Amino acid sequence: MNSRSGKSKKTKGKILILYILVSVIILSACQGTGGRREIEDLGIVTAFGVDYIDEKVVVTLEVVNPLASTTSTQASSTKTEGQKYVYPRGIGETVKDAITDINLYFDKKVFLSHSNLLIIGEEFAKRGIVDLMDFFLRDDQPREDMYIVVAKGCKASDIIGIKAGLGRAAGTYLYDTINNFSINGRSINLSIAEKYRYYYDVANEPVVGVVHVKEVVRSDDELKKEEKTAMVLDVSGGAVLKRERLIGYFDGEEMIGFNLIVGDFKSGIIVFRTPVEDKDKEKVIIGKDGVFTTLDIINANTKRKISVIDGNIHLTIDVKLKAALNEINQALNVIDAEVISRIERACSDKVKELISKTLGKGQKEFKQDSFSIEVSVHQQHPKLWKEIGTEWQYIFPEISYDVNVETTIVKIGLINFPANLRRK
Amino acid sequence: MIISTFYCLLFNIPLIFLAMRFSNLSIIQYMEKIFGKYIGKVLGILYGLFFIRVAIHYYYIEIQMIRTTFMDELSPIIIILVLMIVSIYEASRGLEVSVRTVEFFGPIVVASLILFIVLGFNNIDLTVLLPIYEDSTLSRINMGAIEASLIFTDPNLLSMTFPSLSNKKDVVKIVVKSKIYSQLIIILMVIATQVSLGVEQARHSNFPFLTYVRLVRTYSIFERIEAAFLVTWLIIVTTRSVSYLYISSKAFKEVVNKKT
């Protein structure tokens, strides 16, 4: 009995020693080759810009300086030491080569996992971005949900570094501004993953986000003394790509039409001329009479139907909008159902105009399907698609379409009478 | 994937039939009875080698996954050591330990996978689903289904461990149920991945579901949760490789008539 328990103790002791030995070997090996990343050794990138200059890839990064907050309180020995963000730039034959070039003079190891933005210079976008994208899909550091934006009329390096708003870094500021897409509908926030979701469609020609520099008058008294204007970043519009090359832009208004066509319009405002039929019917107006009405779109639902009429493809876009009356500057009695119905019709007409303008531009100017209408044809007429799929880009500019918009005002706000009306 | 359920069950009918016919013998033992001593032993060796090869393949994928996505500078020898020590120890403790491990981790794994699928809902775009029955042919769909059905190797494990089962009567019901449940989860994962990444991009991705999880950014709370997915995935793959190691070693033991 005693010898058996002694034997089991010995075995347990052996297992324990073996366990400790293995653990020590593994942990000591981890110290050297574990690939650990200490925050003080990393250059955390918050925005990634790419340009193409003299046939070389030029990468400009916005890198957080984690030591800035501590050094700013002390005397900084160099100018960059006190800066919260630094903007290293590298040149190379490929994207990775340009990043490696940065690390030849930049002491921190570039870390891309926190970058939410990929800004592409206009010249580079015109040249074509397809060869650049492989790195962003293959490497594990860049995130697939990084937004792609084209720097309209400038280089990516001109965009990186511009700070405005309350966002701390230019990358954060621009990222938050692009995320406002859900409340304005005048831009597009397309990520790398979303771009590649549709990339392999036969006739897919995507529209990606845009950013351009805008000069605005400063309203801050203190800062106004130093400089009267400030540079801000505007994200309205969309960049149209053809075979991965930039061929033009949609402006902010056209992007409302675009987002409605593709069914991505989440919410936003529609401004239109107020119908004048009922204007001051009861002669009750006091004050200046405005001409515009603003509806806040709460919900938008788009359906696209494809029909074949006499061998020609016909597209019907049905849009249903639910809206809140946000602002009305004309003397109209908005609790009158007839008046509300006219406002709804006027909004529908405006939306119809926006959609037709955008679709028309796609057909006549760009001569390509940037709206994924081909997916609707494929889904609704698969047999026909088999025949015409490869010819779609020649067929799309010729297709006929009609747009039906139905607006329903579901809220009229906190007051039931316009502010510039007074009852006699 | 739906059609593959049928093929999978069809392909496994012979294995289940033989297992029930020779209910007190493992596949190695009844192969000796069917094919004779020498051919039976050769088949037994091949059986053991096949599962060793599958286990090695699983370790290779684990190392690839860990080194490509998370610890890209970590030496492979460390990963191999950790995984092998854990797996060999668990496999050496017998069938009950492996099965209890699965019983413990199973609900956690299933719940985690469903949670990952749900959290990625805002990346889903159903318009990427195209009419496959129109675009493809019946024979191509069936070929794809047959290919997908080969992933399900559990009846092979069962045919080795059949003598140890206490409830042998309900084995058909259990196999059908397990296939349907696992297939449901796989279908959910495949659909979620394809409508999120796009059908073609999902095909080009080495780890499509990992990419799906990397895209999760829900309410600014659930984001960058791929480390949690890696843990779940490692549990799944390690338990699988443990079972392959176990049946492989059992196969070799039975070939050389070594008693445990």
Side-chain angles (χ1 to χ4, degrees):
Chain A
M1 190 75 179
N2 279 343
S3 70
R4 198 180 280 176
S5 70
K7 211 176 181 183
S8 127
K9 269 184 188 172
K10 268 186 183 177
T11 319
K12 275 184 186 170
K14 275 180 189 171
I15 291 172
L16 190 69
I17 290 165
L18 189 71
Y19 178 76
I20 293 167
L21 269 175
V22 169
S23 304
V24 167
I25 292 165
I26 290 171
L27 291 174
S28 59
C30 285
Q31 207 180 13
T33 54
R36 69 195 194 283
R37 291 171 182 145
E38 302 295 343
I39 194 160
E40 62 267 27
D41 299 332
L42 295 177
I44 297 169
V45 176
T46 51
F48 194 108
V50 195
D51 289 299
Y52 203 71
I53 302 167
D54 299 331
E55 299 194 351
K56 295 267 184 192
V57 176
V58 178
V59 164
T60 311
L61 306 174
E62 180 181 69
V63 180
V64 180
N65 179 7
L67 302 173
S69 54
T70 52
T71 50
S72 59
T73 51
Q74 303 155 6
S76 305
S77 56
T78 64
K79 204 179 170 185
T80 51
E81 209 179 321
Q83 266 181 264
K84 283 189 175 172
Y85 303 97
V86 286
Y87 306 96
R89 179 190 278 211
I91 301 171
E93 302 294 339
T94 61
V95 176
K96 186 68 185 174
D97 190 23
I99 294 170
T100 312
D101 184 51
I102 289 173
N103 273 126
L104 290 176
Y105 69 90
F106 190 67
D107 55 347
K108 306 292 176 195
K109 196 175 178 192
V110 168
F111 186 65
L112 298 172
S113 285
H114 289 273
S115 174
N116 291 317
L117 286 169
L118 169 61
I119 306 163
I120 296 162
E122 190 177 60
E123 279 307 309
F124 199 176
K126 281 181 181 165
R127 169 202 165 268
I129 60 170
V130 68
D131 49 345
L132 150 89
M133 297 309 294
D134 189 79
F135 168 77
F136 294 95
L137 291 166
R138 195 177 296 279
D139 197 271
D140 68 303
Q141 277 193 21
R143 309 288 298 187
E144 294 85 353
D145 53 2
M146 195 190 249
Y147 290 148
I148 310 173
V149 284
V150 171
K152 189 177 176 182
C154 58
K155 293 192 183 81
S157 56
D158 299 334
I159 299 289
I160 290 181
I162 293 179
K163 287 175 231 171
L166 298 173
R168 288 174 298 160
T172 320
Y173 153 58
L174 185 55
Y175 177 72
D176 290 343
T177 314
I178 293 171
N179 273 337
N180 286 345
F181 161 73
S182 58
I183 54 166
N184 64 46
R186 288 164 193 261
S187 57
I188 184 168
N189 52 358
L190 196 86
S191 65
I192 292 177
E194 284 166 324
K195 185 177 179 299
Y196 275 83
R197 188 187 291 161
Y198 314 107
Y199 179 74
Y200 300 95
D201 291 352
V202 181
N204 178 262
E205 301 295 356
V207 174
V208 300
V210 153
V211 57
H212 60 273
V213 184
K214 200 161 84 174
E215 202 172 354
V216 294
V217 177
R218 276 190 191 280
S219 46
D220 189 308
D221 269 353
E222 282 301 306
L223 296 169
K224 211 193 281 184
K225 285 173 196 162
E226 292 169 14
E227 227 174 322
K228 286 195 172 165
T229 57
M231 293 297 181
V232 294
L233 298 176
D234 188 325
V235 295
S236 63
V240 183
L241 305 180
K242 184 174 193 167
R243 301 286 95 189
E244 300 302 299
R245 286 168 201 268
L246 177 72
I247 55 164
Y249 296 98
F250 284 127
D251 65 23
E253 278 226 320
E254 287 162 348
M255 281 312 288
I256 295 179
F258 175 86
N259 287 319
L260 282 164
I261 295 167
V262 298
D264 270 351
F265 192 89
K266 308 268 188 271
S267 61
I269 58 160
I270 305 286
V271 182
F272 53 95
R273 285 190 175 270
T274 313
V276 291
E277 292 95 326
D278 304 305
K279 188 181 157 188
D280 201 14
K281 212 161 45 180
E282 294 162 24
K283 305 275 181 207
V284 288
I285 188 160
I286 294 175
K288 192 171 165 52
D289 192 15
V291 287
F292 290 107
T293 299
T294 309
L295 285 192
D296 202 347
I297 305 298
I298 299 165
N299 184 274
N301 187 8
T302 304
K303 277 187 182 152
R304 305 190 301 196
K305 282 181 207 148
I306 304 291
S307 47
V308 183
I309 302 165
D310 299 331
N312 298 316
I313 291 172
H314 181 81
L315 165 70
T316 307
I317 300 173
D318 291 320
V319 179
K320 282 188 178 166
L321 301 174
K322 280 194 178 141
L325 184 62
N326 207 260
E327 189 178 359
I328 185 157
N329 298 328
Q330 205 162 63
L332 296 180
N333 183 4
V334 292
I335 49 171
D336 184 339
E338 204 178 309
V339 173
I340 282 288
S341 150
R342 287 209 180 100
I343 295 171
E344 287 171 347
R345 274 206 299 277
C347 174
S348 299
D349 290 344
K350 177 69 184 181
V351 171
K352 239 184 243 183
E353 186 194 315
L354 290 173
I355 291 175
S356 304
K357 190 181 166 194
T358 312
L359 206 50
K361 192 171 180 177
Q363 282 189 309
K364 291 185 185 104
E365 195 178 322
F366 301 133
K367 295 188 189 324
Q368 65 165 16
D369 178 11
S370 305
F371 314 96
S372 300
I373 306 289
E374 43 106 5
V375 175
S376 303
V377 181
H378 193 168
Q379 284 172 338
Q380 293 171 34
H381 298 273
K383 279 180 188 153
L384 175 70
W385 180 252
K386 265 186 193 170
E387 293 165 23
I388 63 165
T390 49
E391 302 293 312
W392 178 244
Q393 290 302 355
Y394 306 107
I395 295 168
F396 173 74
E398 306 301 327
I399 67 165
S400 56
Y401 63 88
D402 62 272
V403 183
N404 307 311
V405 183
E406 192 185 311
T407 309
T408 312
I409 295 176
V410 291
K411 284 199 288 185
I412 58 163
L414 292 174
I415 55 170
N416 58 18
F417 216 60
N420 58 346
L421 281 191
R422 190 182 293 172
R423 293 179 200 275
K424 278 183 181 169
Chain B
M1 289 304 289
I2 297 166
I3 301 170
S4 76
T5 313
F6 164 74
Y7 280 114
C8 183
L9 293 172
L10 189 75
F11 293 154
N12 287 310
I13 285 173
L15 273 179
I16 297 166
F17 171 77
L18 285 170
M20 289 179 82
R21 175 79 178 74
F22 302 99
S23 61
N24 292 322
L25 301 175
S26 72
I27 190 168
I28 308 294
Q29 289 161 336
Y30 67 68
M31 274 198 294
E32 281 185 28
K33 277 195 181 255
I34 296 169
F35 296 104
K37 201 179 171 189
Y38 295 106
I39 297 176
K41 279 201 189 298
V42 171
L43 288 173
I45 291 167
L46 290 175
Y47 189 86
L49 284 175
F50 173 75
F51 282 103
I52 279 268
R53 188 235 171 239
V54 176
I56 291 168
H57 183 66
Y58 270 51
Y59 289 125
Y60 172 75
I61 297 171
E62 281 181 281
I63 293 160
Q64 280 287 320
M65 176 88 141
I66 294 168
R67 293 199 76 228
T68 311
T69 57
F70 292 93
M71 301 168 185
D72 48 5
E73 289 165 29
L74 185 64
S75 168
I77 190 75
I78 294 164
I79 305 170
I80 293 169
L81 270 176
V82 173
L83 290 175
M84 292 292 282
I85 289 168
V86 172
S87 307
I88 292 171
Y89 174 74
E90 200 185 323
S92 71
R93 305 313 289 172
L95 180 68
E96 197 178 338
V97 173
S98 305
V99 176
R100 287 212 185 281
T101 311
V102 175
E103 195 182 19
F104 176 75
F105 284 119
I108 300 171
V109 165
V110 171
S112 311
L113 289 176
I114 291 170
L115 185 71
F116 293 136
I117 294 168
V118 172
L119 288 177
F121 75 94
N122 49 1
N123 293 314
I124 281 171
D125 179 5
L126 293 173
T127 61
V128 301
L129 294 177
L130 297 169
I132 52 163
Y133 287 106
E134 282 291 347
D135 289 356
S136 190
T137 57
L138 198 65
S139 62
R140 279 176 65 191
I141 291 171
N142 278 290
M143 284 308 287
I146 291 168
E147 207 176 299
S149 70
L150 298 175
I151 302 167
F152 192 64
T153 52
D154 295 46
N156 297 62
L157 303 178
L158 193 72
S159 58
M160 195 68 204
T161 53
F162 202 80
S164 316
L165 294 184
S166 55
N167 180 7
K168 289 172 186 169
K169 272 195 296 181
D170 293 337
V171 72
V172 177
K173 205 162 75 181
I174 292 165
V175 168
V176 172
K177 264 189 183 177
S178 72
K179 178 63 198 163
I180 289 170
Y181 292 155
S182 69
Q183 197 75 342
L184 272 176
I185 294 169
I186 292 169
I187 288 172
L188 275 177
M189 288 168 73
V190 169
I191 292 175
T193 310
Q194 291 201 336
V195 294
S196 179
L197 305 186
V199 179
E200 278 298 316
Q201 188 57 21
R203 194 184 291 172
H204 294 168
S205 180
N206 286 335
F207 307 106
F209 197 69
L210 173 77
T211 311
Y212 173 81
V213 176
R214 273 167 68 96
L215 286 173
V216 168
R217 193 177 270 207
T218 310
Y219 305 122
S220 304
I221 303 168
F222 298 101
E223 52 182 50
R224 296 169 193 263
I225 54 168
E226 59 267 23
F229 168 68
L230 181 74
V231 174
T232 313
W233 186 84
L234 282 176
I235 292 170
I236 300 169
V237 179
T238 310
T239 47
R240 297 295 293 183
S241 32
V242 165
S243 48
Y244 293 139
L245 281 181
Y246 170 75
I247 58 163
S248 175
S249 63
K250 196 164 186 282
F252 285 124
K253 270 181 194 169
E254 283 178 11
V255 167
V256 296
N257 294 325
K258 188 175 186 303
K259 294 210 169 134
T260 49

